[in-house]
Amino acid sequence: LRLLPRQRHLRAGSAEAGALERKRNVLCCLITRILKGEKRLHIDSLVLRVMAACQKGELGPGLRFLSFCCHSVDVLSCILHLLNQGYLQRQEERPHILEY
């Protein structure tokens, strides 16, 4: 009996896994850079700003890609990763506000 779907990135080849890891690293850097500038931001606003930066190709110095597509799920996954790592914080009374 299997409740969770298999994770495709674990079965992917090393080139595909490397590309996914680079994408996550770029998104995490972009999230961190935006929050450093704002200090505090609503999670929805952060997701929209990251997605807009990806669409415009404004990924920061040295991070310009010809095709870089990200979805809200990718951004939210990176936000949760950064929360778990302790880089981002939430306020207890207002958990929708993220702080760097």
Side-chain angles (χ1 to χ4, degrees), residues 4 7 14 16 23 27 35 38 40 42 45 48 52-53 59 61 63 66 74 79 84 91 93 96:
L4 296 174
Q7 295 182 1
S14 62
E16 293 169 345
K23 181 178 181 177
L27 289 175
L35 271 178
E38 295 292 329
R40 179 180 301 172
H42 192 282
S45 297
L48 291 175
L59 301 173
L63 294 175
L66 294 176
D74 300 327
I79 289 172
N84 287 333
Q91 299 175 352
E93 63 276 358
H96 53 279

Side-chain angles (χ1 to χ4, degrees), residues 23-36 38 41-60 63 68-79 82 88 98:
K23 181 178 181 177
R24 187 178 87 169
N25 287 339
V26 168
L27 289 175
C28 287
C29 289
L30 187 56
I31 289 166
T32 303
R33 189 181 62 169
I34 290 171
L35 271 178
K36 274 185 180 179
E38 295 292 329
L41 201 57
H42 192 282
I43 192 167
D44 293 340
S45 297
L46 179 59
V47 170
L48 291 175
R49 287 182 65 177
V50 170
M51 290 178 58
C54 289
Q55 289 175 350
K56 293 178 186 175
E58 299 171 353
L59 301 173
L63 294 175
F68 187 84
C69 178
C70 72
H71 301 282
S72 60
V73 174
D74 300 327
V75 178
L76 286 170
S77 173
C78 290
I79 289 172
L82 290 172
L88 306 181
L98 297 174

